[in-house]
Amino acid sequence: MRSLIDILDLTTAEIDELIETGLDIIANPSKYAHKCDGKKLATLFYEPSTRTRLSFEAAMLELGGSVLGFSEANSSSAAKGESVADTARTVSCYADIIAMRHPKEGAPLVAARKSLIPVINAGDGGHNHPTQTLTDLLTIKREKGRFDNLTIGLCGDLKFGRTVHSLICAMSRYENVKFVLISPKELMIPEYLRQEYLIDKNIVFVETTDLVGVMPELDILYMTRVQKERFFNEADYLRLKDSYILTLDKMKDSKPDLAVLHPLPRVNEIAVEIDDDPRACYFKQVFNGKIIRMALIMKLLEVE
Ligand code: CP
């Protein structure tokens, strides 16, 4: 039995296999309509979500399975003090697979250690979000056709942005990938990530505060929200929240085939005028999220 807690729990070969399955699901959806007949997915969400929870649920429904769960901690026995370990052990008696989001880093790992069924980390605090990364990888594959030889700009909250952390880990395994890390000084990537995944692996990266200056060299621009819920001090959030607002004017020197990604939700950081531009890929990403979660559920349930 396997869980998915960190994107690096998957080899690059396994990621390739998930991407191939995802592409086949898009091409032949009816082939997958009964792959999970009789199976149940439990979504245990201790933190708000629109895309991750609903795409997991849609994924299981499209595979012929069913779903149960809770969308906030207060509607579960967590409100009475139950631990995530006991909750996971309990839910193991009702479902075949768990998707868990939690505000505390490491909570899905704790759940996986006690669970009798696979646990998928659907986002743990400011740490990791591996299924968003699978979503991002499917989007990159569909938009660019490759993972190698790409210059990827990541912009916004790189300190608390769990999607950024998982994406850097995943993309650092491919050839000739360059990262351009664009953030205010206060929201630069954590030191462990810089040292272990970039410096120690000899990955080329630059850190800058200047989004417009680096625009011409980017193949992918991954925008992120400054996350109010991760700040201890509201004054810091208010000072930093509008550090980067992407507009068509700021993209005028981009490559014509730049792909703009964003895990969403968006607040101010991408002007709505960009939504209909061919470079905007963030709503395509939403669709890809459901597809890759279908592929992942089948893999972890060992469905042929
Ligand atoms: N991208 C993402 O995790 O979105 P939600 O918070 O809506 O699930």
Side-chain angles (χ1 to χ4, degrees):
M1 183 192 84
R2 276 184 79 182
S3 291
L4 178 66
I5 303 301
D6 187 303
I7 190 66
L8 298 182
D9 293 343
L10 297 168
T11 64
T12 51
E14 286 176 316
I15 288 177
D16 287 347
E17 178 200 326
L18 287 170
I19 299 281
E20 288 308 314
T21 304
L23 295 174
D24 195 55
I25 292 168
I26 293 168
N28 305 290
S30 60
K31 214 169 104 181
Y32 295 88
H34 298 286
K35 291 284 185 188
C36 287
D37 280 358
K39 301 285 187 190
K40 292 194 279 287
L41 164 77
T43 49
L44 312 184
F45 275 57
Y46 295 80
E47 198 184 55
S49 168
T50 295
R51 275 147 295 273
T52 310
R53 185 171 66 84
L54 296 182
S55 65
F56 263 117
E57 295 188 356
M60 190 47 136
L61 294 172
E62 293 204 13
L63 291 167
S66 48
V67 298
L68 65 162
F70 53 82
S71 58
E72 53 176 333
N74 279 341
S75 65
S76 78
S77 285
K80 303 174 202 162
E82 186 167 56
S83 68
V84 290
D86 283 359
T87 301
R89 185 71 187 258
T90 299
V91 173
S92 300
C93 302
Y94 309 144
D96 300 286
I97 188 165
I98 291 171
M100 175 183 283
R101 168 168 292 186
H102 202 286
K104 285 198 181 144
E105 289 83 354
L109 175 62
V110 171
R113 286 184 175 147
K114 289 290 177 189
S115 175
L116 307 176
I117 59 177
V119 174
I120 301 171
N121 178 3
D124 61 329
H127 187 218
N128 278 325
H129 195 346
T131 64
Q132 180 63 47
T133 299
L134 292 173
T135 301
D136 303 338
L137 293 175
L138 179 57
T139 307
I140 291 169
K141 187 70 170 185
R142 295 188 75 197
E143 298 304 316
K144 294 286 166 196
R146 67 185 192 280
F147 296 129
D148 299 327
N149 304 311
L150 290 169
T151 297
I152 305 173
L154 298 118
C155 178
D157 177 2
L158 309 188
K159 179 178 180 182
F160 299 113
R162 58 195 176 196
T163 64
V164 167
H165 304 161
S166 294
L167 186 59
I168 289 175
C169 291
M171 290 301 298
S172 68
R173 299 202 287 197
Y174 295 99
E175 292 295 318
N176 194 28
V177 168
K178 175 181 175 185
F179 294 104
V180 181
L181 306 173
I182 310 144
S183 72
K185 294 263 182 269
E186 295 91 332
L187 297 177
M188 291 164 78
I189 58 166
E191 184 52 32
Y192 81 90
L193 199 65
R194 183 181 297 107
Q195 189 63 48
E196 286 177 38
Y197 292 93
L198 298 174
I199 296 172
D200 289 355
K201 292 174 141 196
N202 294 318
I203 306 289
V204 179
F205 73 100
V206 292
E207 297 185 278
T208 178
T209 56
D210 180 13
L211 171 60
V212 174
V214 299
M215 189 67 75
E217 64 180 291
L218 304 180
D219 298 302
I220 293 165
L221 173 57
Y222 195 92
M223 294 296 295
T224 62
R225 173 176 66 100
V226 175
Q227 303 170 91
K228 187 177 183 183
E229 64 272 29
R230 306 279 176 238
F231 280 79
F232 296 111
N233 174 337
E234 191 174 5
D236 284 348
Y237 168 71
L238 293 174
R239 183 168 52 81
L240 294 169
K241 73 182 175 69
D242 291 330
S243 298
Y244 299 98
I245 299 177
L246 188 66
T247 59
L248 284 173
D249 186 55
K250 288 179 184 160
M251 288 165 59
K252 68 180 187 317
D253 293 327
S254 85
K255 292 183 180 175
D257 62 347
L258 172 74
V260 179
L261 276 62
H262 190 310
L264 303 180
R266 150 180 70 182
V267 184
N268 282 334
E269 58 279 2
I270 300 181
V272 291
E273 66 182 8
I274 294 174
D275 293 0
D276 296 324
D277 188 282
R279 292 167 290 185
C281 297
Y282 32 94
F283 289 114
K284 295 184 196 173
Q285 237 172 315
V286 172
F287 172 76
N288 292 334
K290 180 188 70 173
I291 300 295
I292 204 71
R293 288 178 176 108
M294 290 172 74
L296 179 66
I297 289 168
M298 287 192 291
K299 179 175 177 61
L300 295 183
L301 289 179
E302 299 178 5
V303 170
E304 283 301 314

